[in-house]
Amino acid sequence: SLVCFDYVDDLAEFTGVPKWFERYLDLAIYKADLVFVVSQVLFEKVADKKKERVFLLTNGVDVDHFSKALKDVELPSVLERMRRPAIGYVGVLEDWIDFRLLKSIAARYRDYSIVLIGPAHPRVRKDVEELGSFPNVFFLGKVSYETLPNYLKGIDLCIIPFKINNLTQAANPIKVYEYLASGKRIVSSAIPEIEKLDVVKIARNMDEFTSRISESLSEPADAVRFLKIANLNTWDQKARDMLSLIESGLRIKSPRHD
């Protein structure tokens, strides 16, 4: 048998996680035969405690599904009625979202539609209410995974407006690959793993972020290039890579004696 630990976020950095959790996290990492991490930041954090059998495997995407946004799929009626261009975010609204930045975007681009797709955690209710005071901001709530390409079809530019902290610096947001597979231009906060993708416009402060939006919208969306990167990061390929490492680990742990 083989114990594998898939470390997809810096779990101890989530709001509300008790301090004692780190001891159990360290124990799980110590006992694991193989540890998979999704970012270089997590790799370095784990490597300080476990000197071997730690592997960097970034997140991926179902390209076949999200590339439907580039095809003739039905546009949700709520998006048909919105003013264009539409700036979109897909994902949960939580305390790692930079709501000050979102309000700045809404204020600067009053003639644009700011579309937020995903549920909001109760702890950010006040931020959501304040953001909702802008008439060009639309909260669509949670939509089904099956219909996400339909919604993305109606978005002109996708954003990742994260605060920069210990949690987000260790992240490898799946949404960046989903945006790329949908053929979308992207502006993102300076998340280390996203900075590796040269097709994404990176912003290090609020003014830079709002300016990058104008820059990106003034350029044609290079869907062919975006899809090429997405196709290098499919879940199928990630699964093959992980299975190969697991098989290798099994051979090392339980070598055959002929």
Side-chain angles (χ1 to χ4, degrees):
S1 67
L2 201 69
V3 176
C4 300
F5 187 89
D6 193 15
Y7 201 4
V8 298
D9 277 304
D10 197 344
L11 303 172
E13 294 295 336
F14 282 102
T15 298
V17 173
K19 291 298 292 182
W20 54 258
F21 175 81
E22 269 197 270
R23 296 200 307 273
Y24 290 93
L25 182 59
D26 289 345
L27 183 61
I29 291 169
Y30 173 76
K31 288 191 171 184
D33 297 298
L34 304 179
V35 178
F36 302 108
V37 298
V38 298
S39 70
Q40 185 64 33
V41 170
L42 282 179
F43 181 89
E44 291 169 4
K45 184 173 183 176
V46 175
D48 282 341
K49 305 166 185 174
K50 192 180 187 73
K51 301 301 181 185
E52 57 185 20
R53 315 304 293 165
V54 182
F55 302 96
L56 174 59
L57 279 180
T58 57
N59 282 322
V61 61
D62 181 345
V63 174
D64 289 342
H65 180 59
F66 281 92
S67 62
K68 293 174 186 174
L70 293 164
K71 300 171 185 175
D72 189 24
V73 293
E74 184 180 357
L75 191 66
S77 59
V78 66
L79 286 172
E80 286 183 338
R81 299 191 299 268
M82 286 182 192
R83 182 180 294 178
R84 306 290 286 266
I87 299 170
Y89 168 80
V90 178
V92 65
L93 295 171
E94 250 282 17
D95 58 2
W96 56 79
I97 298 295
D98 191 338
F99 284 95
R100 285 183 63 246
L101 171 58
L102 285 175
K103 284 187 278 187
S104 176
I105 293 169
R108 177 163 173 177
Y109 297 104
R110 292 185 180 274
D111 292 333
Y112 296 6
S113 295
I114 315 301
V115 184
L116 305 172
I117 301 170
H121 193 281
R123 67 172 143 249
V124 298
R125 183 179 292 114
K126 184 173 183 291
D127 293 302
V128 168
E129 288 173 354
E130 290 176 359
L131 185 59
S133 67
F134 289 88
N136 59 330
V137 173
F138 302 89
F139 295 98
L140 302 191
K142 185 178 181 179
V143 304
S144 70
Y145 178 80
E146 288 72 22
T147 61
L148 273 177
N150 302 68
Y151 284 86
L152 284 164
K153 182 179 179 65
I155 302 298
D156 300 291
L157 170 75
C158 289
I159 58 174
I160 303 178
F162 285 4
K163 296 174 182 174
I164 299 301
N165 54 34
N166 289 342
L167 175 65
T168 60
Q169 285 186 319
N172 189 312
I174 294 174
K175 67 182 87 283
V176 71
Y177 305 107
E178 294 173 344
Y179 291 166
L180 288 171
S182 303
K184 300 302 169 182
R185 294 162 288 192
I186 307 169
V187 178
S188 174
S189 302
I191 307 302
E193 288 301 316
I194 297 179
E195 288 188 79
K196 296 177 182 179
L197 302 170
D198 60 3
V199 295
V200 178
K201 289 193 180 294
I202 299 296
R204 302 186 184 283
N205 55 55
M206 195 177 299
D207 289 340
E208 213 172 74
F209 202 110
T210 53
S211 295
R212 292 281 186 269
I213 288 173
S214 292
E215 291 173 18
S216 191
L217 285 171
S218 70
E219 302 168 357
D222 192 348
V224 173
R225 190 177 176 204
F226 299 162
L227 270 173
K228 184 177 180 181
I229 294 172
N231 275 311
L232 294 173
N233 292 278
T234 65
W235 285 125
D236 284 347
Q237 183 58 53
K238 304 296 178 181
R240 285 192 291 270
D241 292 343
M242 183 177 284
L243 284 172
S244 176
L245 291 166
I246 290 171
E247 288 167 359
S248 176
L250 283 169
R251 286 194 296 272
I252 292 169
K253 190 172 183 181
S254 304
R256 290 179 61 184
H257 299 286
D258 295 327

